[in-house]
Amino acid sequence: MQFIVIAHDHKDEQALERRLAVRKEHLEFAAKMFQEERWVFASALLDEKGNMNGTVIGCEYDSEEELRDKWLEKEAYVKGDVWKEIIIR
């Protein structure tokens, strides 16, 4: 089953700093997800100044529950309090 995940970062002054602090871990996990053919595409969302302020990812899991168990529970941007809102469609 294919999903689109749109995640919006927190908007506080430290949000970008938290994102950058765990970005390497996020990218390493992303590489694994692409290798396993779980993720189809991924991109950072940018604000009007060109700063990262969210993420959009197209992915494939058997269910939303599996998506949450195999990805979101391990996601650096979740654990690092980067994402404020996660929309799964």
Side-chain angles (χ1 to χ4, degrees):
M1 180 175 237
Q2 292 184 335
F3 295 92
I4 298 293
V5 177
I6 303 167
H8 298 284
D9 292 4
H10 288 275
K11 297 188 185 299
D12 60 271
E13 291 183 18
Q14 291 78 36
L16 183 58
E17 184 179 316
R18 286 194 308 276
R19 174 182 268 272
L20 295 175
V22 296
R23 188 165 189 256
K24 181 180 178 192
E25 182 182 347
H26 165 77
L27 293 175
E28 289 170 354
F29 188 78
K32 179 181 173 190
M33 293 295 96
F34 278 116
Q35 187 175 45
E36 293 177 6
E37 298 182 349
R38 291 288 189 177
W39 289 11
V40 179
F41 68 89
S43 180
L45 300 175
L46 306 177
D47 66 15
E48 62 280 346
K49 295 178 184 177
N51 293 317
M52 294 178 286
N53 70 349
T55 307
V56 61
I57 296 173
C59 55
E60 193 153 335
Y61 291 90
D62 291 336
S63 65
E64 185 174 330
E65 181 179 344
E66 181 184 44
L67 180 153
R68 291 179 183 279
D69 290 345
K70 294 196 174 183
W71 166 27
L72 288 181
E73 288 186 8
K74 300 173 180 131
E75 171 58 55
Y77 288 162
V78 172
K79 295 186 306 182
D81 196 32
V82 174
W83 291 341
K84 177 181 181 180
E85 177 186 21
I86 301 169
I87 301 163
I88 301 171
R89 300 277 188 251

